[in-house]
């Protein structure tokens, strides 16, 4: 099981962790922890095998989470795979109404081709869309693809 949103509070401030222990703590792979180190997670100087201070680990994950929390701008949908807002491919999205006032904008990530969606209120649709062309559900079949089960990480 991989943890998409590692909880910074799992790391105890006064402990230090090996790569293995961090991986176990977050239910992730050692290679993910090594990627964190390459991405700037500090390690304790000169430690062999590598040790990571709990305080640094918590701080790193907290900063990373804040970076990842960048809100979608106009014309962007949140991509669960890229973990960042992205423009939909072809600048096109489909609006799927959920009720009279709210719906989902669905598009394909222009970077990784994953499905993305964004909950919008109809009143906000214009501001949310930016320069994205939107199709209404009646036109959906013309796109020629069916939708995967809804991805709910965008709704946090
Ligand atoms: Zn993506």
């Amino acid at each position: 099981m991989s943890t998409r949103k590692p909880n910074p509070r799992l790391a105890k401030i006064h402990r230090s962790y090996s790569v293995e222990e961090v991986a176990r703590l977050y239910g992730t792979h050692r290679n993910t922890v090594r990627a964190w180190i390459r991405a700037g997670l500090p390690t304790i100087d000169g430690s062999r095998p590598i040790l990571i201070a709990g305080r640094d680990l918590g701080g790193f994950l907290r900063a990373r989470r804040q970076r990842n929390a960048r809100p979608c701008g106009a014309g962007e949908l949140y991509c669960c795979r890229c973990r960042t807002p992205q423009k939909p491919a072809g600048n096109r999205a489909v609006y799927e109404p959920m009720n009279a006032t709210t719906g989902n904008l669905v598009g394909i990530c222009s970077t990784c081709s994953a499905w993305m969606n964004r909950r919008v209120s109809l009143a906000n649709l214009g501001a949310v869309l930016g320069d994205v062309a939107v199709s209404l559900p009646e036109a959906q079949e013309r796109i020629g693809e069916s939708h995967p089960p809804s991805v709910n990480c965008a709704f946090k």
Side-chain angles (χ1 to χ4, degrees):
M1 278 293 288
S2 73
T3 309
R4 282 185 173 271
K5 290 225 160 87
N7 179 359
R9 285 190 211 141
L10 280 177
K12 294 196 172 62
I13 290 175
H14 298 293
R15 261 206 68 174
S16 53
Y17 298 87
S18 67
V19 168
E20 181 84 51
E21 286 168 334
V22 173
R24 209 175 308 136
L25 185 63
Y26 287 101
T28 188
H29 195 273
R30 288 188 304 270
N31 287 345
T32 304
V33 180
R34 293 192 185 102
W36 292 349
I37 292 169
R38 283 195 300 277
L41 170 62
T43 58
I44 294 172
D45 280 348
S47 57
R48 288 289 179 277
I50 289 170
L51 286 175
I52 295 144
R55 184 192 313 258
D56 290 339
L57 182 58
F60 172 80
L61 293 175
R62 212 166 288 124
R64 195 165 165 273
R65 177 190 270 187
Q66 277 161 10
R67 255 199 323 278
N68 286 348
R70 179 168 82 84
C72 292
E76 292 181 324
L77 307 179
Y78 185 81
C79 176
C80 295
R81 197 185 284 164
C82 298
R83 299 187 199 178
T84 186
Q86 295 282 9
K87 299 289 280 184
N91 244 356
R92 290 163 56 94
V94 173
Y95 179 77
E96 298 183 328
M98 296 167 71
N99 55 45
T101 56
T102 317
N104 280 321
L105 271 181
V106 182
I108 296 170
C109 177
S110 55
T111 300
C112 74
S113 300
W115 286 95
M116 312 186 288
N117 52 36
R118 177 173 179 181
R119 187 174 290 188
V120 290
S121 72
L122 209 45
N124 266 339
L125 195 56
V128 164
L129 281 174
D131 55 357
V132 168
V134 73
S135 332
L136 294 171
E138 289 77 16
Q140 212 170 293
E141 292 87 292
R142 274 182 251 151
I143 293 176
E145 290 187 69
S146 60
H147 288 192
S150 83
V151 182
N152 58 17
C153 81
F155 302 150
K156 296 229 170 88

